[in-house]
Amino acid sequence: MDLGIDGDTVVVTASSAGLGRASAEALADEGANVVICGRDPERLADAEAELADLAGDVLGVETDITSKADIDALVEAAVEAFGGIDHVVTSAGGVPPGGFADTTEEAWYGAFDMLVMSAVWTVEAARPYLEASDAGTITCITSTTVNEVADDLILSNAVRRGVIGLVKSLSRELAPSVRVNAVLPAAHETSRIEELVEASVERGDHDTYEAGLQSWADDIPLGRIGGPRELGDVVAFLASDRASFVTGACIPVDGGRLRSA
Ligand SMILES: NC(=O)c1ccc[n+]([C@@H]2O[C@H](COP(=O)([O-])OP(=O)(O)OC[C@H]3O[C@@H](n4cnc5c(N)ncnc54)[C@H](OP(=O)(O)O)[C@@H]3O)[C@@H](O)[C@H]2O)c1
């Protein structure tokens, strides 16, 4: 299926690794120009080099998405390089695992900046370009925790719901010129899952890393952890004209893990 995004420009936040990077790869495979970002310059340069051979062009911009100024500069760099922006994909860093008793006020505000304000600032800066495009889309990568809370992830459980409120509101406010959707990953092979499994072993929930990882897979009807690209391909589809009647949708990409609809 031709997604028809050849030559479009996409800004993907938090994308030097993991789900953001896999989304950038899927989009660039289809010929879109992708602007990727992250804090670690070496990791960013590696990702830029790895994506360089795909059909679309790639530009890496060192960015901390918890800084509005950095996000403004990211959007400016995208426009300068490619003349506009057709799509935004928001990913983010992970927020610390833990329960209510372990979570400081500083961590609550930090999670809000990381998960909610990073998306708000990106949309704010990119909106004029998305509205000027004839194919504007925003896709927010969040988590299945917006539907079903996960143990020891109170920040993700509570704060990510703000992203869904943002997506649903924007899908109405920016219609019909910009479509806005969310994708909800559960467990994909990235360093974030490694971090969560290691935390579960430290808490004593599992004896070994392998047992911890297996417990995630055991709760997934398809019987395995997802690949990052299995999320990235859905993101590319949502940005494309093949999804032209899809807006305001929150789509789990979780191997069937969510029990609720
Ligand atoms: N993987 C999963 O199965 C899964 C499931 C549910 C939800 N999620 C959520 O989806 C998001 C992405 O997860 P992932 O698995 O892709 O994580 P990951 O593999 O750890 O990758 C995170 C990416 O974000 C970048 N990043 C982190 N903090 C940043 C910041 N302040 N500014 C700019 N870039 C930043 C990292 O680069 P630098 O560190 O160099 O900045 C890296 O490129 C996270 O919010 C995660 O909690 C993931």
Side-chain angles (χ1 to χ4, degrees):
M1 175 163 46
D2 176 10
L3 294 188
I5 52 176
D6 192 9
D8 284 3
T9 297
V10 193
V11 172
V12 189
T13 61
S15 45
S16 58
L19 302 179
R21 185 198 173 288
S23 301
E25 182 185 283
L27 289 154
D29 251 349
E30 291 293 324
N33 302 318
V34 293
V35 181
I36 61 170
C37 74
R39 292 163 304 176
D40 178 344
E42 232 172 85
R43 195 193 325 218
L44 183 62
D46 286 350
E48 201 177 357
E50 285 158 17
L51 299 179
D53 289 339
L54 302 179
D57 289 341
V58 58
L59 171 70
V61 182
E62 211 179 307
T63 306
D64 181 346
I65 60 166
T66 63
S67 154
K68 181 181 186 312
D70 274 20
I71 288 183
D72 287 346
L74 169 73
V75 166
E76 232 171 79
V79 173
E80 197 176 311
F82 298 115
I85 299 171
D86 303 289
H87 313 282
V88 159
V89 177
T90 66
S91 191
V95 290
F100 186 76
D102 318 313
T103 304
T104 61
E105 182 171 321
E106 192 187 359
W108 280 103
Y109 281 116
F112 189 71
D113 277 352
M114 174 67 89
L115 300 177
V116 180
M117 291 315 297
S118 64
V120 169
W121 291 324
T122 309
V123 171
E124 197 173 41
R127 186 167 66 97
Y129 306 102
L130 297 174
E131 287 182 327
S133 165
D134 57 5
T137 70
I138 297 166
T139 305
C140 296
I141 300 174
T142 62
S143 170
T144 50
T145 58
V146 303
N147 273 24
E148 289 175 5
V149 297
D151 290 342
D152 279 302
L153 272 178
I154 195 165
L155 289 173
S156 182
N157 295 338
V159 177
R160 282 186 194 280
R161 288 184 183 224
V163 179
I164 297 303
L166 182 70
V167 164
K168 295 299 292 183
S169 303
L170 286 174
S171 70
R172 304 186 69 80
E173 195 173 328
L174 302 187
S177 63
V178 181
R179 292 185 297 103
V180 189
N181 294 292
V183 289
L184 282 47
H188 295 254
E189 288 161 29
T190 71
S191 54
R192 172 64 175 168
I193 280 299
E194 282 169 24
E195 188 190 326
L196 294 180
V197 171
E198 278 160 12
S200 73
V201 174
E202 267 168 39
R203 279 197 308 271
D205 296 352
H206 304 286
D207 291 338
T208 62
Y209 179 87
E210 289 66 33
L213 194 62
Q214 188 58 45
S215 81
W216 281 86
D218 287 345
D219 199 29
I220 294 177
L222 293 186
R224 61 181 175 83
I225 305 287
R229 185 62 188 260
E230 290 179 289
L231 189 285
D233 284 337
V234 178
V235 168
F237 169 73
L238 287 172
S240 82
D241 204 40
R242 303 286 81 79
S244 54
F245 203 54
V246 182
T247 195
C250 302
I251 301 176
V253 185
D254 66 347
R257 185 162 186 257
L258 278 180
R259 286 163 175 79
S260 55

